[in-house]
Amino acid sequence: MESTLLGRVSCFSRPLSKVPRRWSSSISQRPGSDRVRFPGAINSKFTTEMTFTNPSNAPNIPTYRVMDSDGVLVDKSRKPMNVPNEEILSWYKNMLTVSVMDVVMFEAQRQGRLSFYMVSAGEEGISVGSAAALTPDDVVFAQYRETGVFQQRGFALKDFMSQLFANRHDNGRGRNMPVHYGCNYPRTHTISSTLATQIPQSSGAAYALKLQALQNPDTPPRIVACYFGEGAASEGDFHAGLNIAATRSCPIVFICRNNGYAISTPTLEQYRGDGIASRGLGYGIDTIRVDGNDIFAVYEAMRKARSIALQDGGKPVLIEAMSYRVSHHSTSDDSFAYRARVEVEDWKRRDNPIIRLRKWLENEGLWNEDLERDTRDQLRKAVLKEFGEAERKKKPAIREAFEGVYEEVTEEAEAQMKELKRIIETYPEEYDLRQFHEGINGL
Amino acid sequence: MATLRLPRLIPRPRRYSTAASPSSRLNLPIDYKSTPLLHHTPATLSDTIDLPDSSTPKSMNLYQAINSALRTALSTSNKVMLFGEDVAFGGVFRCSMDLQTEFGSERVFNTPLTEQGIVGFAIGAAAQGMKPVAEIQFADYVFPAFDQIVNEAAKFRYREGATGVDIGGMVVRMPCGAVGHGALYHSQSPEALFAHIPGVQVVMPRSPSQAKGLLLSSIFESKNPVVFMEPKVLYRAAVEHVPNEYYTIPLNTAEVLKPGNDLTVISYGQPLYLCSAAIRAAERALGASIELIDLRTIYPWDRQTVLDSVRKTGRAIVVHESMINYGVGAEVAATIQDGAFLNLEAPVKRVAGWSTHTGLIYEKFIIPDVARIYDAIKQTLDY
């Protein structure tokens, strides 16, 4: 197989005779079979009973959980988690960091200090728990409510703040809206606002990893993790991405955050099947539904999914993580326009990935009220410190508006930059360049 | 068993597509065997392509040249992968013939029938350092992938910024253009739509040797996503000598195909053959000297070559097959009036498809032909 990957096959052959050729995909019929081997569905038996398969008769896919909402392991007989307590504590702190940052930044947006923000309240467990099961060499494509993935993968507060304030240190060079984070290594692709476009892209990236592993067996095993919400799963790109991943046997784990809402649209208006998980089976993809408020369940499912994804050179897996979007969709949304405040308050009280893990940590004697208060204080101070510094930093040079469109700035763009410079110099009172690195010379 | 017997039609013109008028003097079928735009002998190759000394040219049509380019690309780098609908058995236009047998089903393969999936898949593979060459079966069917091209491929490097990740090496190939009977969905040339998008390069070759050099450039030398449009009417019609080895043609320069002093005709792809025929007729009838320019790369395009030419000739015509409204001709004409205003002695004329759809039996009346180009030349010279 390797020789075919690295170049031409030496034994190049074409059928020379007139003998009827049978392709490897050809299907033959055995006499007396209880099924016709139609090429489109080779294992379907005949039946004389005319029954339409009704989705409501099929059992709903169960939701995997490890601990209950009191932080108690449900299955007493199960083996303990094979994760050191320090690591579990770091997950907890990562969830707290996201949560503390969310509160500060949401407020900052309300004060008009940044243009936009999206919190991930209620979904910190999904992003932190799943990212904890990845290696730094794994590649991530995300939607936008996966701040915890970036946090777990080592994106620092300074990186978050630089992006949110679009300052000189922003990886995105001030080009993207806030929360559109991106990182080269561990590779976590820059978020784009277009929903679901990352899904077929992640299949292609996973196929590339598979090919690279075949071509160079020394590369460490790598998968792609692709995140999206249940609303995005209605896009055509979801269908395209999962189907291609299945037919090309890609090492990829799709993680759907099913939080009940796509902006104002409840899931009842999004789909009528058994959530997103039921679709995985239709594509021939190994699928599991997990309790997204249970970080242990998410972590374990992701760990197992990762190993399944690497089987036989590549195999896609779908995880549907159930949660509830406690927050508004974004700072541009008032969710009480379409759902009852009491419903949200209920969820906040009833269940939450942070509180659940905190209870487990307290049950284990690893956490207490004092630690909680001190940690939150420290985190808040650290966020505010980076916030202040990032806010004061200059914006990137104005040339960044034109660079990076192509590998090299085109003649057309050079001319337009020159023209913009002329305009700014002719009408200096119309433009405030003080915020931008190098001012007019940055053009 | 009775079989339905159709009477054999004796006069050969194909009744399903509109034929030239029997009295035509301008709108004659293009004789690809004698057009000066093709390298009928190896001798003329070195005039346009910088070839290594060991060059061993071979006569090929356009699909064979594409096939040769893809074979060269697949053997040059194991990062190159080729996929799309029906590419495994050789492709519906035979462009990927034998490539799966030679390079294996891991690198040359069929995808499910989903254009948005194909382009999305290519973007992801390119983002991990591969060189994916994706095929869209007809340019008419690229629109489901429009979002992936416009919002994702084109903006990928820009939005990644300092992470340094890009999708250079990604190429989306698609057969385009009228073919005589393609009607609404097998005739389109959407290059103007892509030329409106910063971040992608749009390329359309006119001949087999050009196609190979431009395609290899797109795969190996461009660090940007490339939309590579292949005029499908030329797949079998255009035959010329093509070098066997690896060579590239730059993506940022136009080519002056024929020098002239009185008028500049600017075009790309198949209509260049019509322009060439119209120019010959006009030079003979009107005694003018006409320059012909092939843009080759539609965006970002070589403004300088065009402006230099028009500053010399003072007159210009832009010709393309796709619709005139907001077409490539509009951008070229506007650039000429901006950059060569004082040299212009006549308005810049656009000869392009009418602003309608390509109804099956009306094709000949809709897309530019030699008569329309000839008339534009005459009007522009007479102005």
Side-chain angles (χ1 to χ4, degrees):
Chain A
M1 182 190 280
E2 276 157 27
S3 65
T4 65
L5 289 164
L6 298 171
R8 295 175 192 224
V9 179
S10 51
C11 54
F12 173 66
S13 68
R14 288 190 69 181
L16 299 171
S17 66
K18 296 272 185 216
V19 176
R21 178 166 175 188
R22 197 175 278 285
W23 296 82
S24 57
S25 59
S26 300
I27 283 159
S28 61
Q29 180 68 39
R30 289 203 194 110
S33 175
D34 59 350
R35 63 200 83 180
V36 171
R37 303 189 75 200
F38 290 114
I42 52 172
N43 286 322
S44 174
K45 282 185 188 175
F46 283 127
T47 175
T48 53
E49 192 186 322
M50 191 188 68
T51 317
F52 287 82
T53 304
N54 184 328
S56 62
N57 295 337
N60 282 5
I61 294 173
T63 303
Y64 174 65
R65 72 161 27 175
V66 171
M67 64 177 157
D68 63 20
S69 41
D70 294 321
V72 176
L73 300 195
V74 182
D75 180 359
K76 309 284 183 221
S77 64
R78 79 190 293 286
K79 277 185 285 183
M81 295 253 303
N82 198 16
V83 181
N85 285 339
E86 302 78 63
E87 202 178 325
I88 296 174
L89 272 169
S90 77
W91 299 350
Y92 183 70
K93 285 176 191 164
N94 281 338
M95 287 201 288
L96 270 190
T97 307
V98 172
S99 172
V100 167
M101 181 166 66
D102 275 355
V103 172
V104 173
M105 299 320 291
F106 191 87
E107 197 50 44
Q109 196 285 331
R110 287 289 187 252
Q111 292 175 13
R113 294 168 79 172
L114 70 161
S115 57
F116 180 77
Y117 195 74
M118 298 179 106
V119 307
S120 38
E123 297 174 58
E124 302 92 338
I126 298 172
S127 47
V128 171
S130 58
L134 298 173
T135 73
D137 289 327
D138 291 332
V139 174
V140 167
F141 285 81
Q143 180 168 304
Y144 49 59
R145 211 183 296 284
E146 292 88 2
T147 304
V149 172
F150 284 89
Q151 172 68 24
Q152 179 67 28
R153 303 197 100 201
F155 212 60
L157 282 177
K158 182 185 160 81
D159 301 324
F160 284 118
M161 293 301 153
S162 299
Q163 200 285 327
L164 293 168
F165 286 105
N167 69 25
R168 281 183 63 199
H169 303 292
D170 168 20
N171 274 346
R173 295 187 162 156
R175 293 164 183 160
N176 307 309
M177 282 176 78
V179 309
H180 291 48
Y181 310 117
C183 181
N184 186 317
Y185 188 86
R187 181 155 298 178
T188 315
H189 279 291
T190 303
I191 308 280
S192 76
S193 308
T194 40
L195 285 183
T197 47
Q198 77 277 19
I199 303 176
Q201 291 172 14
S202 59
S203 303
Y207 190 74
L209 300 187
K210 167 182 170 153
L211 221 51
Q212 286 160 0
L214 278 165
Q215 292 173 347
N216 179 7
D218 296 335
T219 33
R222 294 183 291 168
I223 68 153
V224 171
C226 174
Y227 294 81
F228 50 88
E230 91 286 348
S234 295
E235 294 280 2
D237 275 331
F238 166 88
H239 166 66
L242 270 72
N243 199 32
I244 277 202
T247 57
R248 294 311 303 168
S249 306
C250 300
I252 182 165
V253 180
F254 297 105
I255 304 121
C256 177
R257 298 176 290 95
N258 190 336
N259 64 16
Y261 286 92
I263 306 188
S264 73
T265 307
T267 50
L268 259 182
E269 293 168 24
Q270 199 64 247
Y271 54 73
R272 280 299 163 100
D274 179 21
I276 308 304
S278 66
R279 299 181 200 168
L281 307 180
Y283 292 112
I285 292 179
D286 290 18
T287 299
I288 190 170
R289 174 177 281 151
V290 302
D291 180 345
N293 288 346
D294 175 352
I295 196 167
F296 291 158
V298 173
Y299 172 79
E300 286 198 336
M302 188 66 185
R303 235 179 105 98
K304 180 68 184 169
R306 189 178 180 281
S307 74
I308 294 172
L310 288 166
Q311 277 170 21
D312 309 323
K315 201 174 175 196
V317 182
L318 172 63
I319 297 176
E320 183 182 26
M322 311 308 289
S323 72
Y324 184 86
R325 197 193 77 213
V326 181
S327 64
H328 300 303
H329 165 70
S330 73
T331 47
S332 309
D333 170 52
D334 173 12
S335 68
F336 301 129
Y338 49 81
R339 62 181 182 181
R341 196 179 285 265
V342 61
E343 177 189 325
V344 179
E345 291 306 322
D346 262 8
W347 269 99
K348 275 188 183 163
R349 251 199 319 277
R350 184 165 50 203
D351 200 16
N352 171 314
I354 297 180
I355 293 172
R356 223 198 271 195
L357 184 59
R358 179 180 168 182
K359 285 178 178 166
W360 183 87
L361 289 168
E362 287 181 352
N363 293 344
E364 296 289 307
L366 297 165
W367 202 251
N368 56 46
E369 186 58 39
D370 290 346
L371 277 169
E372 176 79 12
R373 195 183 50 244
D374 293 351
T375 309
R376 280 182 177 275
D377 272 0
Q378 283 164 16
L379 286 172
R380 199 179 148 75
K381 277 182 191 137
V383 167
L384 288 173
K385 177 173 164 284
E386 295 296 348
F387 177 111
E389 284 178 16
E391 198 179 29
R392 281 193 299 275
K393 285 263 167 14
K394 289 221 169 185
K395 306 298 180 203
I398 300 176
R399 79 172 76 88
E400 298 286 2
F402 294 88
E403 287 182 342
V405 176
Y406 292 94
E407 190 199 20
E408 284 164 5
V409 177
T410 61
E411 277 178 35
E412 182 189 10
E414 293 274 13
Q416 292 177 0
M417 286 163 78
K418 220 169 126 190
E419 178 64 0
L420 176 59
K421 190 169 187 178
R422 185 188 68 79
I423 292 283
I424 295 174
E425 283 169 345
T426 312
Y427 306 95
E429 65 283 3
E430 304 297 327
Y431 303 92
D432 184 0
L433 268 56
R434 285 171 302 175
Q435 279 194 77
F436 291 89
H437 180 57
E438 294 178 0
I440 188 70
N441 296 322
L443 197 56
Chain B
M1 197 201 283
T3 52
L4 180 67
R5 294 186 72 99
L6 286 171
R8 192 110 184 102
L9 297 170
I10 294 303
R12 289 306 298 271
R14 291 170 170 177
R15 304 257 306 233
Y16 54 78
S17 60
T18 37
S21 158
S23 55
S24 285
R25 285 183 305 120
L26 292 167
N27 285 340
L28 301 168
I30 294 297
D31 182 5
Y32 290 101
K33 288 197 177 64
S34 66
T35 171
L37 301 194
L38 293 170
H39 298 290
H40 304 291
T41 66
T44 56
L45 263 177
S46 53
D47 298 347
T48 44
I49 303 163
D50 217 11
L51 287 178
D53 292 339
S54 65
S55 169
T56 49
K58 200 176 143 188
S59 185
M60 293 181 191
N61 64 26
L62 183 70
Y63 86 67
Q64 290 162 333
I66 297 284
N67 183 264
S68 164
L70 294 171
R71 176 175 290 105
T72 307
L74 284 157
S75 22
T76 301
S77 164
N78 63 6
K79 290 180 177 177
V80 177
M81 21 192 303
L82 183 66
F83 52 88
E85 295 158 14
D86 305 301
V87 305
F89 87 111
V92 296
F93 290 109
R94 316 317 284 144
C95 291
S96 48
M97 279 273 276
D98 297 328
L99 298 178
Q100 189 179 61
T101 321
E102 288 177 54
F103 299 99
S105 58
E106 283 83 8
R107 288 174 64 203
V108 180
F109 54 88
N110 288 339
T111 62
L113 213 160
T114 165
E115 284 76 15
Q116 61 196 100
I118 291 167
V119 174
F121 192 85
I123 293 171
Q128 290 312 125
M130 302 302 281
K131 291 182 174 296
V133 181
E135 178 177 303
I136 299 294
Q137 205 159 70
F138 286 85
D140 309 66
Y141 306 129
V142 74
F143 303 112
F146 208 55
D147 184 39
Q148 285 286 354
I149 294 173
V150 177
N151 278 323
E152 300 292 312
K155 295 174 176 61
F156 208 93
R157 180 209 313 278
Y158 192 77
R159 72 170 182 242
E160 285 277 352
T163 72
V165 181
D166 66 70
I167 53 167
M170 168 186 162
V171 179
V172 185
R173 291 177 44 238
M174 61 192 84
C176 69
V179 72
H181 49 271
L184 307 187
Y185 307 111
H186 298 83
S187 303
Q188 296 178 65
S189 292
E191 68 273 9
L193 297 173
F194 297 118
H196 190 62
I197 300 152
V200 291
Q201 286 178 295
V202 187
V203 180
M204 196 190 293
R206 69 161 191 278
S207 74
S209 68
Q210 207 191 48
K212 182 171 176 181
L214 288 172
L215 184 52
L216 286 172
S217 249
S218 304
I219 297 169
F220 291 109
E221 290 180 4
S222 168
K223 298 286 181 289
N224 309 301
V226 177
V227 173
F228 194 87
M229 301 175 66
E230 300 163 7
K232 59 183 168 292
V233 72
L234 301 178
Y235 273 143
R236 288 167 192 274
V239 180
E240 70 173 341
H241 280 84
V242 178
N244 246 335
E245 54 270 85
Y246 179 98
Y247 66 97
T248 57
I249 297 174
L251 296 189
N252 54 5
T253 54
E255 182 184 357
V256 179
L257 285 175
K258 176 194 167 307
N261 297 315
D262 303 324
L263 171 81
T264 304
V265 178
I266 302 130
S267 189
Y268 52 89
Q270 196 275 341
L272 285 162
Y273 296 93
L274 308 173
C275 293
S276 177
I279 287 170
R280 197 163 21 172
E283 287 189 334
R284 207 178 300 146
L286 312 169
S289 146
I290 298 166
E291 186 148 307
L292 179 59
I293 295 181
D294 178 1
L295 282 185
R296 301 200 289 202
T297 300
I298 294 161
Y299 194 77
W301 61 291
D302 181 359
R303 290 150 192 257
Q304 204 52 51
T305 299
V306 171
L307 287 176
D308 287 348
S309 172
V310 180
R311 282 174 191 145
K312 177 181 71 177
T313 62
R315 291 177 158 87
I317 297 171
V318 196
V319 183
H320 54 76
E321 193 175 298
S322 55
M323 279 174 282
I324 192 163
N325 56 318
Y326 290 92
V328 171
E331 177 66 22
V332 174
T335 303
I336 291 171
Q337 74 83 21
D338 192 32
F341 184 70
L342 292 176
N343 305 90
L344 279 180
E345 291 171 45
V348 181
K349 231 177 172 44
R350 290 179 286 159
V351 184
W354 303 125
S355 305
T356 179
H357 308 293
T358 320
L360 179 69
I361 56 167
Y362 310 111
E363 185 187 293
K364 279 276 191 294
F365 303 103
I366 293 167
I367 64 169
D369 57 14
V370 179
R372 281 179 59 198
I373 301 167
Y374 178 88
D375 181 71
I377 291 173
K378 194 164 173 294
Q379 283 195 42
T380 306
L381 288 171
D382 289 349
Y383 189 84

